[in-house]
Structures are given as C-alpha cells and as structure tokens.
Amino acid sequence: MSRPVTDGQATDSEPDSRPDTALSPYCRARDVLDRVGDKWSVYVITLLGDGTKRFSELKRDIHVITQRMLTVTLRGLERDGLINRTVYPVYPARVEYSLTPLGASLLDTLRALLTWSVDHVDRIDEARQHYDDAVGTDR
Amino acid sequence: MSRPVTDGQATDSEPDSRPDTALSPYCRARDVLDRVGDKWSVYVITLLGDGTKRFSELKRDIHVITQRMLTVTLRGLERDGLINRTVYPVYPARVEYSLTPLGASLLDTLRALLTWSVDHVDRIDEARQHYDDAVGTDR
DNA sequence: CAGAATCCGCGCGGATACTG
DNA sequence: CAGTATCCGCGCGGATTCTG
C-alpha cells in the first residue's frame, strides 16, 4: 500500500529547508491546538484566569453551555494538567476549579489569540461575504 | 479582579441578555478559533509565513495531507481573507498562495501558540498518562 | 498540476433524563 | 450542587475517482 510515513530526517544530506523535520513537531502540537479548537476550552481558561471558580459559577458565566459540555471541557483540561479540580466533601457538593501553573503559562498566549480574533472578526466576516458574493456571480 | 458578572435579573423580561456582555464577543471569536482548530490551517499559515508557495509545494511540504484537505483548507483561508490565491493561465496549471496583510498579522500570535504547544506537549502527555492511570485505580 | 465530486466513518457537541 | 448516562444529528476529515 502506501509507503510508511517516515518523516524523520533519515539521511539528512540536505543542509536545510527540509520541511519534514518541521512536520513532526506540528503533529504532536495538534494535541494542544485541538484544545483551542474545542468550543469552550478557551473561554473556560480565560475565565479561570481571573481566579478560582466553582462549577456553578462557570455554568452561570457561560450559561449557554450545557452541564454536560462544561463537565466534558473541565475533564479535558484537568486531564491535560491545565486546571486543578478541588472537591469539598460537603452537601450539597462543592467543586472549585483553578488554573495550574501550566495552564496559567498558556493564558497570555491564549489572550493574545483571543484579542486578535475579536479585533479582526469583523474584517473576516467582511471577507467571507465578499468571497461568497463572488462565488455566486463570478463562478 | 473579580467583576460581578452576575448582576442579577434586575430588569426582567429578557430571557438571556445580562451575562452576554462577555460571552458574545467570544461566540463571534469562535469563528477565528475554529480555523485554529482546523487540522491543517495553522501549519499552512506558518508555511506561507516563509513566503509565496505553489499548491504542489505545500502538498510536498506537508505530504501527509490529502489533496482534498489541502484544497479545502486553502479555500477556507482564502474565504477568510487570510491568504491570496493567484492563478497563472498556463498549462499545466500553476497556482500560488501567499499571506494577505491580515493573515500576516496573525502570524506572530500563531507562532507563539505553536511554540507554546511544542514546548509543553511533553508535559501535557505526562499529565494525561498520570490522569489516565489515576482513573484506573482511584476511581 | 491543481483541483472538483462523491462516499463514508467517526467524533464533537447538543438535548434530555437521572443521581449522590 | 455537580455531576453521570444515553441518544443522536451533523460536520470534519480521510480515501478514492475523475477533469481542464
């Protein structure tokens, strides 16, 4: 069938500009980028950037999210070591979430991306409409 | 500081209006974050950050991508106004792609995110294994 | 060379109902 | 309050085939 995807440098007689060497790290980095691609992860992280919050606080702040998706999102972030989950053995249950140092180290970059997105979303929408109009007439 | 997002339902009759002040921009920004969530968009943008490239060059550089996904990815980026598509009326066809100023303005932020991802993917993998192990025993 | 078109599996995410 | 469990539609992305 198809030959094995050996993206290692193998015999690197090439001095530079071997794109394969740049692809492998990217494939691994996709695991992190997929978190950004999650619908709610970025928002949860930025909210926790303001400080520790309870489950119900996060739920109220986002409020359009379902309980299930909030749980799933928090589990994913906890699994990745980006947030802490603290359960208080009381009734009713009380669970608090906060950023780990790892999660906090992502905060600045995430905010930068979010800022860029908010700043340019109008231009992007404009570009999309322009593109979609051209599709109808030109093509 | 902790701002009072929950200012109560002083003015009623609006089903969902109060806490949206912080959520609405995020919902719109999701359009941009979804691009980052795309499997190949980030890599294509960073590649074009080095300069104009032909379709076949991008295909060769990524080489694990299918022709279809490269086309789909490039269409999406073009539609968002992030890249230019230049067709040369020759045979065989020759098409070149390059970043628009808008796309170039995203480059730094994207590189920062990519750098963070590459730098911390090992720690994240470690956290995942630790989490998965705890699931088997603890819970 | 640079695509368009078609088919399809799988996983994300929403809706809903139930529980310690 | 903070989940868990189940069902399900839809879209992403891969494989394949055909074309200007």
Side-chain angles (χ1 to χ4, degrees):
Chain A
M1 290 294 286
S2 60
R3 81 191 137 203
V5 183
T6 57
D7 50 348
Q9 45 271 39
T11 58
D12 58 331
S13 55
E14 299 288 333
D16 59 348
S17 68
R18 183 73 176 180
D20 292 340
T21 57
L23 186 60
S24 299
Y26 177 74
C27 288
R28 299 199 63 209
R30 280 297 334 164
D31 288 352
V32 184
L33 297 180
D34 285 340
R35 283 270 162 263
V36 181
D38 284 354
K39 190 165 183 179
W40 301 112
S41 290
V42 172
Y43 199 61
V44 168
I45 291 176
T46 54
L47 279 178
L48 293 181
D50 293 336
T52 299
K53 281 181 185 291
R54 298 183 56 178
F55 183 91
S56 54
E57 292 183 271
L58 293 170
K59 179 70 180 70
R60 200 179 318 119
D61 287 350
I62 312 185
H63 82 266
V64 293
I65 199 175
T66 42
Q67 295 88 342
R68 179 185 178 274
M69 282 319 296
L70 182 55
T71 301
V72 169
T73 301
L74 291 168
R75 286 294 175 280
L77 295 175
E78 184 196 4
R79 180 170 181 263
D80 286 359
L82 297 174
I83 65 174
N84 295 309
R85 178 172 178 267
T86 309
V87 182
Y88 295 91
V90 295
Y91 191 87
R94 177 188 181 91
V95 182
E96 288 185 351
Y97 293 92
S98 61
L99 290 182
T100 62
L102 184 63
S105 72
L106 178 60
L107 199 55
D108 286 341
T109 306
L110 233 50
R111 279 177 175 152
L113 181 64
L114 211 45
T115 299
W116 190 95
S117 302
V118 172
D119 288 345
H120 297 85
V121 67
D122 284 331
R123 179 169 297 194
I124 289 178
D125 277 345
E126 186 181 356
R128 285 179 183 177
Q129 290 186 356
H130 181 271
Y131 181 90
D132 292 343
D133 290 345
V135 168
T137 60
D138 184 55
R139 305 188 178 181
Chain B
M1 296 294 287
S2 62
R3 69 193 180 290
V5 178
T6 59
D7 51 352
Q9 59 278 27
T11 57
D12 53 354
S13 73
E14 291 291 336
D16 50 346
S17 59
R18 283 314 133 194
D20 285 337
T21 51
L23 187 60
S24 298
Y26 178 73
C27 287
R28 298 198 64 211
R30 280 298 332 165
D31 288 353
V32 184
L33 297 181
D34 284 341
R35 283 270 162 264
V36 180
D38 284 354
K39 191 164 183 180
W40 302 111
S41 289
V42 172
Y43 199 62
V44 168
I45 291 176
T46 54
L47 279 178
L48 292 181
D50 295 335
T52 299
K53 282 181 185 291
R54 298 184 56 179
F55 184 89
S56 53
E57 291 183 272
L58 293 169
K59 179 70 181 69
R60 201 179 317 118
D61 287 351
I62 312 185
H63 79 262
V64 293
I65 199 176
T66 24
Q67 294 90 342
R68 180 185 176 275
M69 282 319 297
L70 182 55
T71 301
V72 170
T73 300
L74 291 168
R75 284 296 174 280
L77 294 175
E78 182 196 5
R79 180 170 181 263
D80 286 359
L82 297 175
I83 65 174
N84 295 309
R85 177 171 178 268
T86 310
V87 182
Y88 295 90
V90 294
Y91 192 86
R94 176 187 181 93
V95 182
E96 288 185 350
Y97 293 92
S98 61
L99 291 182
T100 61
L102 184 62
S105 71
L106 178 58
L107 200 55
D108 286 341
T109 305
L110 234 49
R111 279 176 173 154
L113 181 64
L114 211 47
T115 298
W116 190 95
S117 303
V118 172
D119 288 346
H120 298 85
V121 66
D122 285 330
R123 179 170 297 194
I124 289 178
D125 278 345
E126 185 181 357
R128 284 178 184 178
Q129 290 187 356
H130 181 271
Y131 182 89
D132 292 343
D133 290 347
V135 168
T137 61
D138 185 54
R139 305 189 178 180

